[in-house]
């Protein structure tokens, strides 16, 4: 698999350095490699298989997403990207306030520019003007047509009702416990896969630091708060 990746990248004049890791499990190996090699972007293929036992994508991908802060793209691509004519970008409520939002939009607009495609942004229950202003400040200069979506169900019924094989759907998601996270984001990848979408990417922006999901679980209190409370008492 590494050999095929090297051949493919060489054909696109992209420099590649092969790395091999031996670890207790695949997720830990990815985490350690990302830290040791100062990797900024993790791209992982997902076959779209849906099992009731898996949380979101499966044990390996879920594991490293939970313990990394680098931008990560979970991809299901069944057609060559150069055949894509339209990109549909799903933007959850409050995602515009995420630290890595503008960085993510720059990368997505860069992809659209190289594909010479159009881009449509589906904004879920949020202020369209905030997204327009943020997008205009990001290069390259690619126009994004933003559309308001009133609820998650409307995404499936209206936003994704006429998908073609030349469409690329990108969900700008959020790790659990971070800005813009919503419970629907835990099930949305499975729903996209069940719709038999042929080309889609779940894009997790860069976080400021390693994700801390304790607050989202509601079972632990940060040590700093405990120490402060003990001192004040």
């Amino acid at each position: 698999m590494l050999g095929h990746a090297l051949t493919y990248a060489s054909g696109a004049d992209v420099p590649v350095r092969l790395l091999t890791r031996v670890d207790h499990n695949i997720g830990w190996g990815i985490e350690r490699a990302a830290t040791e090699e100062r990797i900024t972007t993790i791209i992982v293929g997902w076959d779209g298989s849906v099992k009731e036992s898996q949380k979101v994508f499966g044990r390996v991908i879920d594991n490293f997403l939970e313990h990394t802060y680098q931008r990560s793209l979970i991809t299901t691509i069944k057609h060559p990207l150069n055949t894509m004519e339209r990109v549909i970008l799903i933007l959850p409520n409050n995602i515009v306030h995420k630290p890595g939002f503008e960085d993510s939009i720059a990368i997505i607009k860069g992809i659209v520019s190289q594909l010479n495609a159009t881009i449509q942004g589906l904004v879920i229950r949020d202020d369209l003007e905030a997204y327009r202003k943020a997008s205009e400040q990001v290069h390259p200069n690619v126009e994004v047509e933003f559309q308001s979506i009133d609820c998650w169900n409307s995404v499936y019924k209206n936003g994704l009702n006429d998908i073609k094989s030349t469409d690329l759907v990108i969900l700008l998601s959020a790790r659990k416990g971070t800005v813009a996270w919503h419970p629907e984001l835990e099930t949305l990848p499975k729903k996209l896969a069940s719709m038999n979408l042929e080309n889609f990417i779940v894009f997790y922006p860069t976080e400021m630091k390693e994700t801390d999901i304790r607050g989202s679980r509601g079972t632990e209190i940060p040590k700093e708060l405990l120490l402060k409370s003990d001192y004040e008492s």
Side-chain angles (χ1 to χ4, degrees):
M1 291 179 66
L2 285 174
H4 285 301
L6 180 60
T7 301
Y8 187 81
S10 298
D13 293 327
V14 176
V16 176
R17 183 162 61 92
L18 299 182
L19 299 174
T20 303
R21 284 290 185 275
V22 178
D23 217 310
H24 292 290
N25 62 55
I26 298 173
W28 290 355
I30 295 173
E31 293 169 33
R32 287 183 56 189
T35 300
E36 294 171 2
E37 300 295 329
R38 298 183 181 180
I39 291 170
T40 58
T41 305
I42 302 172
I43 303 176
V44 179
W46 183 46
D47 61 8
S49 63
V50 179
K51 300 177 183 177
E52 293 186 3
S53 59
Q54 68 188 39
K55 183 179 177 183
V56 183
F57 300 99
R59 183 175 58 85
V60 172
I61 298 178
D62 291 346
N63 188 341
F64 86 74
L65 282 176
E66 187 173 300
H67 296 98
T68 57
Y69 61 88
Q70 292 87 349
R71 75 173 73 91
S72 300
L73 285 73
I74 315 304
T75 68
T76 299
I77 306 294
K78 298 181 180 179
H79 297 279
L81 282 178
N82 59 10
T83 64
M84 300 297 105
E85 298 177 355
R86 180 177 64 160
V87 172
I88 298 176
L89 177 60
I90 303 174
L91 298 161
N93 180 269
N94 287 325
I95 198 77
V96 70
H97 302 297
K98 202 165 189 65
F101 176 75
E102 292 187 359
D103 170 72
S104 303
I105 293 298
I107 292 174
I108 293 170
K109 289 175 72 172
I111 293 173
V112 172
S113 177
Q114 292 184 46
L115 296 177
N116 197 25
T118 61
I119 179 169
Q120 179 181 5
L122 305 180
V123 181
I124 302 173
R125 295 195 310 273
D126 219 338
D127 178 19
L128 291 184
E129 190 59 28
Y131 288 83
R132 291 193 184 102
K133 288 181 178 179
S135 177
E136 289 172 356
Q137 296 175 0
V138 176
H139 294 285
N141 186 22
V142 175
E143 183 178 356
V144 182
E145 179 186 347
F146 291 104
Q147 175 185 344
S148 180
I149 300 293
D150 57 358
C151 65
W152 286 101
N153 286 334
S154 295
V155 174
Y156 314 118
K157 294 180 181 179
N158 301 325
L160 303 178
N161 60 343
D162 61 344
I163 297 297
K164 302 176 182 178
S165 61
T166 55
D167 291 334
L168 173 62
V169 176
I170 301 178
L171 166 64
L172 194 56
S173 192
R175 289 170 166 88
K176 191 172 183 179
T178 66
V179 175
W181 180 83
H182 187 280
E184 187 70 23
L185 295 175
E186 298 286 290
T187 60
L188 189 52
K190 294 180 183 179
K191 292 179 180 179
L192 293 177
S194 66
M195 294 174 65
N196 294 319
L197 297 185
E198 297 178 325
N199 313 291
F200 68 91
I201 298 173
V202 183
F203 192 132
Y204 291 87
T206 304
E207 298 294 340
M208 297 303 292
K209 59 181 179 179
E210 186 172 335
T211 306
D212 186 348
I213 65 172
R214 290 174 298 184
S216 62
R217 287 175 175 169
T219 57
E220 295 182 43
I221 301 176
K223 293 181 179 179
E224 293 83 357
L225 183 58
L226 283 174
L227 291 172
K228 183 178 180 181
S229 298
D230 291 341
Y231 178 77
E232 291 176 346
S233 62

